[in-house]
């Protein structure tokens, strides 16, 4: 379970900040010399460079050149800041016109856009968004991505569930990719180097006759991908299976729509 989640801060203050609404009541103290946008940008830069564990209000305050207590006059805490960061990322995602493409191409493009987001900002895949930040960036993202299912005859509930299914797959794939890269980085060994070092050790204790299927399949996959796990292949294979599954749903909805009598 992720230790980070959106929607964990004060709901009223978070929504005010997300939609850039003025705070209730007069503000006391000296005139602010920074902006919420500058603070969010600094926080994203810090998380990109060092991860969410390094994201503290003190570190963000240092990055924007204010005292830690001053930062709290802009953003109440890390929970609200995290929602602002996510919404900023969502707002910056590309939204080209793909209306002339097939629904399958549009949905694949939505997956690719989200995968690119997680590749550029790996920390975003670590944040549980069961209670999402309901800011303008998220709403624009949701509106755009739902339209990938236009002309599919899916009802609204199925359309929402299909999008969630797709995005959950992309998030899981992004986390697996990040974990694989972290293992390689921390061990200072490529997959080929790791197997070259550990393969002979495994051969000393491993009885191939007891696991013939595992040996055959594992050898074939390793030869094909050059590793026991290839994140790129896993993503492409999984995406096609997700699209295949959605195709069954889309076809069934089309059949129902055709068979339903019209007044």
């Amino acid at each position: 379970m992720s230790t980070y989640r959106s929607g964990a801060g004060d709901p009223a203050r978070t929504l005010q900040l997300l939609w850039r609404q003025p705070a209730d009541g007069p503000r006391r103290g000296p005139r602010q010399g920074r902006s919420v946008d500058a603070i969010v940008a600094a926080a994203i830069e810090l998380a990109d460079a060092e991860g969410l564990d390094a994201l503290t209000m003190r570190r963000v305050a240092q990055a924007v050149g204010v005292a830690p207590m001053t930062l709290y006059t802009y953003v109440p805490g890390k929970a609200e800041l995290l929602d602002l960061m996510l919404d900023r990322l969502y707002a910056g995602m590309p939204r080209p016109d793909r209306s002339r493409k097939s629904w399958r191409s549009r949905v694949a493009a939505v997956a690719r856009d989200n995968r690119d987001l997680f590749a550029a900002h790996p920390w975003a895949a670590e944040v549980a968004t069961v209670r999402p930040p309901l800011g303008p960036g998220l709403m624009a993202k949701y509106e755009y991505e739902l339209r990938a299912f236009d002309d599919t005859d899916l009802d609204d509930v199925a359309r929402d569930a299909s999008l969630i299914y797709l995005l959950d797959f992309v998030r899981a794939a992004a986390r697996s990719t990040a974990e694989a890269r972290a293992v390689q980085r921390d061990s200072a060994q490529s997959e080929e180097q790791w197997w070259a070092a550990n393969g002979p050790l495994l051969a000393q204790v491993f009885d191939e006759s007891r696991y013939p299927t595992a040996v055959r399949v594992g050898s074939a996959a390793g030869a094909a991908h050059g590793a026991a796990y290839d994140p790129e292949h896993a993503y492409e294979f999984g995406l096609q299976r997700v699209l295949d599954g959605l195709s069954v749903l889309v076809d069934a909805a089309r059949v129902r729509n055709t068979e339903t009598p019209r007044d």
Side-chain angles (χ1 to χ4, degrees):
M1 181 180 296
S2 174
T3 57
Y4 302 99
R5 65 179 180 88
S6 60
D10 173 52
R13 186 64 180 125
T14 298
L15 286 173
Q16 285 180 332
L17 287 166
L18 285 169
W19 292 90
R20 300 301 192 268
Q21 297 296 308
D24 297 333
R27 195 188 69 82
R28 299 179 179 178
R31 184 175 182 273
Q32 292 180 322
R34 302 293 187 274
S35 69
V36 171
D37 289 335
I39 290 167
V40 172
I44 291 174
E45 184 175 353
L46 177 59
D48 287 347
E50 301 184 43
L52 289 178
D53 288 344
L55 184 71
T56 65
M57 297 296 279
R58 180 175 295 277
R59 291 289 304 278
V60 175
Q62 292 173 347
V64 295
V66 300
M69 293 307 297
T70 300
L71 188 64
Y72 288 99
T73 66
Y74 294 87
V75 182
K78 183 174 177 178
E80 292 84 1
L81 180 58
L82 191 57
D83 282 353
L84 291 168
M85 293 163 63
L86 286 173
D87 203 66
R88 169 71 69 85
L89 297 189
Y90 297 156
M93 294 180 70
R95 297 185 180 92
D97 181 6
R98 294 169 175 149
S99 58
R100 296 186 178 183
K101 296 184 179 295
S102 68
W103 75 264
R104 188 168 175 130
S105 295
R106 294 195 301 264
V107 171
V110 167
R112 183 174 61 249
D113 292 343
N114 281 272
R115 192 186 189 212
D116 289 345
L117 175 78
F118 292 137
H121 310 281
W123 57 268
E126 300 178 25
V127 183
T129 54
V130 176
R131 293 181 178 176
L134 300 177
L138 173 70
M139 298 310 298
K141 178 180 187 290
Y142 185 53
E143 173 76 17
Y144 177 78
E145 292 176 346
L146 285 172
R147 290 180 178 177
F149 295 94
D150 283 352
D151 306 320
T152 62
D153 291 317
L154 294 178
D155 62 32
D156 289 347
V157 174
R159 186 183 293 217
D160 175 74
S162 297
L163 179 60
I164 292 173
Y165 178 56
L166 175 76
L167 297 183
D168 281 350
F169 160 73
V170 176
R171 179 185 299 276
R175 295 186 69 167
S176 294
T177 298
E179 289 166 1
R181 290 175 178 169
V183 167
Q184 183 169 322
R185 181 185 63 248
D186 295 343
S187 67
Q189 289 181 314
S190 66
E191 286 294 306
E192 293 83 356
Q193 291 170 329
W194 188 89
W195 279 107
N198 290 276
L201 299 176
L202 179 62
Q204 295 176 16
V205 298
F206 185 67
D207 182 0
E208 295 186 6
S209 64
R210 294 186 61 186
Y211 311 100
T213 306
V215 171
R216 187 185 75 250
V217 173
S219 297
H225 309 313
Y229 175 71
D230 178 4
E232 189 67 28
H233 177 268
Y235 171 78
E236 292 297 339
F237 181 88
L239 176 60
Q240 294 308 312
R241 303 297 74 77
V242 169
L243 294 173
D244 290 345
L246 292 176
S247 292
V248 175
L249 190 67
V250 169
D251 290 345
R254 183 172 295 116
V255 170
R256 286 197 303 271
N257 187 56
T258 302
E259 295 177 346
T260 301
R262 297 180 181 274
D263 296 333

